[in-house]
Amino acid sequence: MRLGIIGLPQSGKTSLFNALTGGEAPVTAGGHGQETHVAVVKVPDVRLDRLTEMFTPKKTTPAEVHYLDFPSVGFGAKDRAEVAWVGQLRTVDALVVVVRAFEDESVPSDGPVDPVASLEKVHLDLVVADLAVVERRRTRLESDLKKTRTADRGPIEAEIALFEGFQNALEAGTPLRAVDLSEDQLRDIRGFQFLTLKPTLVVVNLGEAQLGDSAAHESRVREAHAYPKTLVASLSAKLEMELAQLDEADATTFMVDLGVTELAAGKIIRQSYDLTGLISFLTSGEDEVRAWPISRGDKAPAAAGAIHSDLEKGFIRAEVVAYDDLMAAGSMAEARKRGHLRQEGRNYVVLDGDILNILFSR
Ligand SMILES: Nc1nc2c(ncn2[C@@H]2O[C@H](COP(=O)(O)OP(=O)(O)OP(=O)(O)O)[C@@H](O)[C@H]2O)c(=O)[nH]1
Ligand SMILES: [Mg+2]
């Protein structure tokens, strides 16, 4: 799962990247960051912590997400640079859009600082990029239509109608993730990698003095950008980046001084994971306690396949216990005694937090 961090120049993208990843990519005061930074982050999950206490395994393996911090060259860059940049952006699974709310005269801003206006600007760029793809496709389909016998025109006409709908939506400033599409349609258009179709997390970058008003800042942005598959979060990227770079003891002291009880970064990582439609099933034992990402709606054999293709091929059944039932029972043996350990077959839809033991034949 890869998430691309974008936003206007100097909005705090690299600071957020560092806050989320504990990284030390150089922030660029006044300049334009040129490189794409990439890092892998473990998704915090209290269930793994509790299972680790219960099973004392040799190792614990959380789910992971990848973050890519995109340079600001972006839209409007000269010819080839923009094409390459957008091309790279199209490959991510979800977008994180950083909008600046912090006031700081030493950090340049193109006009007054306004998170909603910044979001609109970025959004418009994404819309325009998708519109170009839609228009190209429509032109192509219309020329195909002329070359096709009337009897065979059905599928092409259907696609033209679909793309006409996309064009209307985009021209009205509506992202494609707000257009009603069937599973089949979504599958058919996957190859176009539309930017406005991607789940989007908007992160409002607050100054330290604004942290007390975070809810108000978030709701302004949420109201202005009320679309499906869209979440809004906030933090002070600079502060969290500095905290992420301290060791734990120093960070704790610093947080106590600031009156901060919890870092926002962990929550934002969690939100980005949930946003992409992933859920985790868990496996536990003496060797390893682990979270496995699967898509919501996946069935037991697909979950087995996430572990190893052999488990999917030879799938017999899954022993399943819900995390909450296991915790209430206190041990696997007790959960079994209470009848909470269920036997499930190939049609079982795996739920978030299910603890699975796959039985398979070699
Ligand atoms: N006061 C304040 N400054 C911040 C905050 N977040 C980022 N900055 C500063 O803003 C400047 C730009 O931060 P970056 O994280 O490099 O922003 P960016 O969006 O990656 O910048 P480019 O890649 O150059 O577009 C740096 O000087 C940061 O220290 C914040 O929450 N408060
Ligand atoms: Mg940067």
Side-chain angles (χ1 to χ4, degrees), residues 8-15 27-29 31-33 72 102 104 107 205-206 236-238:
L8 297 183
Q10 300 286 286
S11 50
K13 299 179 293 298
T14 304
S15 301
V27 297
T28 45
H32 281 213
S72 290
F102 70 87
D104 186 336
V107 180
N205 186 9
L206 302 170
S236 171
K238 185 171 178 229

Side-chain angles (χ1 to χ4, degrees), residues 6-18 25-35 37 69-73 98 100 102-108 205-208 210 235-242:
I6 58 170
L8 297 183
Q10 300 286 286
S11 50
K13 299 179 293 298
T14 304
S15 301
L16 174 70
F17 173 82
N18 287 338
V27 297
T28 45
H32 281 213
Q34 294 296 329
E35 281 167 70
H37 309 114
D69 168 28
F70 278 82
S72 290
V73 277
V98 182
R100 171 177 173 177
F102 70 87
E103 300 278 356
D104 186 336
E105 281 173 9
S106 70
V107 180
N205 186 9
L206 302 170
E208 278 174 44
Q210 297 166 315
L235 86 170
S236 171
K238 185 171 178 229
L239 174 68
E240 297 243 353
M241 172 185 114
E242 286 162 2

Side-chain angles (χ1 to χ4, degrees), residues 184-242:
D184 285 347
Q185 286 173 322
L186 281 172
R187 201 193 44 238
D188 291 345
I189 62 166
R190 200 154 51 193
F192 293 100
Q193 300 179 306
F194 289 118
L195 298 171
T196 64
L197 194 60
K198 297 185 191 296
T200 300
L201 173 64
V202 183
V203 176
V204 185
N205 186 9
L206 302 170
E208 278 174 44
Q210 297 166 315
L211 283 172
D213 289 329
S214 59
H217 283 279
E218 284 180 25
S219 62
R220 265 192 70 213
V221 171
R222 205 170 281 125
E223 277 161 30
H225 212 68
Y227 298 117
K229 291 190 195 158
T230 307
L231 294 177
V232 179
S234 67
L235 86 170
S236 171
K238 185 171 178 229
L239 174 68
E240 297 243 353
M241 172 185 114
E242 286 162 2

Side-chain angles (χ1 to χ4, degrees), residues 39-53:
V40 182
V41 175
K42 298 182 183 341
V43 180
D45 190 337
V46 286
R47 298 172 303 192
L48 283 185
D49 303 338
R50 300 285 308 281
L51 288 173
T52 299
E53 286 163 19

